[in-house]
Amino acid sequence: RNGDSVIAEIISYPEGKRPPSGRIVKVIEKPEDPASEVEAIIDEFNIPRKFPRNVFEEAKEIHTKGSRPEFPEEKRKDLTSLPTVTIDGERAKDFDDAVSIKLAEHGYRLWVHIADVGFYVPWDSDIDIEARKRGTSIYFPDRVTPMLPKELSEDICSLKPGVERAAFTVEMDFDRNGNRINSRFYPSLIKSDERMTYTSVRKILVDNDRHERERYSRLLPEFELMAEMCGVLRKKRLDRGSLDFDLPEPEVLLDLQGNPEAIISAERNFAHMIIEEFMISANEAVAEHLAGLEIPILYRIHEEPDPMKLEDIMKVIKPIARIRNITPKDFSQMLEHIKGRPEQEIINHMILRSLKQARYSPVNVGHFGLASECYAHFTSPIRRYPDLVVHRILREVLHKKHLSDTRKAGLESLLSDIAFTSSRLERRADEAEREVIDAMRVWFMRDKVGEEFE
């Protein structure tokens, strides 16, 4: 009927004066509640809901075999006795990464352990083909559309506490000033001691909460060391010109019926920063190692802003921030300069708008936002396909020591396809997540018609 939203399949495309034709596959019902609104958005963005039968069967088979990982074909370093923790949000179910730390003569030794998804999901398996089609997990307030089946994402691959898990470890040595002295990469076997949350780590390190500190007393030295090292790494990164936008991110809180009862500003505390810094370090170490060997990989790139856009925003920013001409390299100092001032948020938004979007590419042009010359995504293979690709390439390099020119050429052509698709699917996920947040805002405000708000 007139006014209905529908999903249609195109039968023929327009040619000359002939219009296109299609057939209606589904009439999208008018949403009766927030959950059906999310369903409609999932339809609109053509996001897959269920895994195909062959993928489901393959996942079940891996799950049955993999309850106690045996690794006959490769040597795994046993790190099960190393004090190790995961730090994630309260609602997280897929634990991609765990960390261990020790004080060393030269400074710090940091281990970043990442779920070894590549061990269970080889190239071109049914799960791999489906994961490539999905590109990324998508997080909505009331559900997750995962990239990998639950049997892997929430169980076999997830670094759950108290159980042995296959990991890919990046072991790095840093001096007291946060310079990386060397790094090593190897498949490992780990056992996480605790599943920590950001809130809990904040209570330990920032609030000095007595109860929380007593509860995790055996891990206190590690947490204190993480805090110290995070400060060193973060200062070094900001000094080199990395941008730090502290923009409020909305978080929708739902009641038991699935209706939004509050929309708050999602917290980003010191514990988040610790994990951010450690993951950035691991991503840089892997990217630099593979680039140094001239192995084709998927880089995470972020180009410098367009000079024309920069001129436009400078006209507005100059009088507000009372600064002279700046180059993109000065952005980081300017963000520091306006911190805490009333115009901070609007300037942050304007600078953010002037920046290009980060994307995946087989060609390295550096990462402007992080002020990093060489960057790749490695630390989230459960929820991002490019990370899984980098894992496989690193494993192949460690295993074979040398890749033939034919293999390198084959990788290059495959990577340009994956880079394009993964970047597109990441955009789709971002847009769908934004659309859902916007819809939730409307549901939240619908009983407030006629009221005025600041």
Side-chain angles (χ1 to χ4, degrees), residues 179-307:
N179 300 303
R180 192 173 71 245
I181 304 164
N182 57 42
S183 44
R184 294 165 289 284
F185 315 91
Y186 48 83
S188 60
L189 191 66
I190 69 157
K191 190 199 268 181
S192 165
D193 293 78
E194 286 289 351
R195 177 269 199 263
M196 302 297 294
T197 65
Y198 293 121
T199 310
S200 176
V201 175
R202 187 208 66 213
K203 282 181 183 171
I204 292 168
L205 294 172
V206 182
D207 307 342
N208 278 319
D209 183 298
R210 196 166 58 84
H211 170 71
E212 211 73 4
R213 287 176 76 87
E214 278 169 14
R215 185 177 166 190
Y216 299 110
S217 55
R218 67 200 171 92
L219 291 166
L220 271 186
E222 278 81 8
F223 289 131
E224 303 278 2
L225 203 53
M226 283 180 201
E228 183 186 312
M229 189 182 175
C230 167
V232 172
L233 290 176
R234 191 171 159 74
K235 181 183 182 311
K236 185 173 169 54
R237 185 166 64 82
L238 294 175
D239 285 350
R240 76 186 185 191
S242 178
L243 305 182
D244 186 43
F245 292 103
D246 212 352
L247 292 171
E249 289 280 335
E251 184 182 349
V252 179
L253 305 181
L254 302 173
D255 63 16
L256 294 172
Q257 279 76 43
N259 296 310
E261 61 178 1
I263 299 179
I264 58 168
S265 183
E267 187 189 23
R268 176 175 174 249
N269 66 39
F270 185 50
H272 290 82
M273 290 175 194
I274 290 175
I275 294 302
E276 266 169 35
E277 293 307 328
F278 292 177
M279 297 309 129
I280 289 171
S281 297
N283 285 335
E284 283 183 336
V286 170
E288 284 171 24
H289 176 70
L290 291 169
L293 297 172
E294 296 183 354
I295 303 290
I297 64 161
L298 265 191
Y299 294 97
R300 177 68 170 175
I301 65 164
H302 186 211
E303 290 131 317
E304 285 206 359
D306 178 337

Side-chain angles (χ1 to χ4, degrees), residues 48 75 79 96 143 150 163 168 187 239-240 327 332 352 378 393 409 416 428 446:
K75 285 195 169 60
L79 300 178
D96 279 299
R143 72 193 78 183
K150 260 213 276 277
V163 286
F168 211 138
D239 285 350
R240 76 186 185 191
T327 67
S332 149
L352 204 52
F378 177 82
I393 295 170
S416 57
R428 176 182 77 169
R446 68 183 236 161

Side-chain angles (χ1 to χ4, degrees), residues 46-163:
N46 200 16
I47 292 166
R49 280 185 173 80
K50 289 190 176 133
F51 285 97
R53 184 149 197 84
N54 58 341
V55 172
F56 181 67
E57 296 295 339
E58 193 172 88
K60 252 176 41 184
E61 194 182 324
I62 292 171
H63 190 263
T64 312
K65 272 194 211 154
S67 49
R68 165 69 180 84
E70 299 294 340
F71 309 102
E73 95 298 0
E74 61 181 358
K75 285 195 169 60
R76 243 167 222 280
K77 200 164 179 177
D78 188 341
L79 300 178
T80 47
S81 57
L82 189 67
T84 299
V85 295
T86 59
I87 306 177
D88 290 274
E90 265 80 0
R91 296 189 304 176
K93 288 180 182 163
D94 48 354
F95 308 128
D96 279 299
D97 55 88
V99 291
S100 309
I101 193 168
K102 279 193 175 161
L103 203 54
E105 283 174 29
H106 49 261
Y108 311 92
R109 178 162 293 164
L110 175 68
W111 290 263
V112 173
H113 317 283
I114 305 299
D116 193 356
V117 180
F119 174 76
Y120 295 103
V121 183
W123 283 114
D124 298 328
S125 58
D126 290 340
I127 295 176
D128 178 54
I129 290 163
E130 181 66 19
R132 200 179 307 177
K133 272 188 211 155
R134 291 176 176 233
T136 176
S137 295
I138 305 177
Y139 296 86
F140 299 124
D142 64 340
R143 72 193 78 183
V144 177
T145 308
M147 178 180 86
L148 299 172
K150 260 213 276 277
E151 288 79 0
L152 276 76
S153 64
E154 292 182 15
D155 195 356
I156 287 296
C157 297
S158 188
L159 307 179
K160 294 155 99 172
V163 286

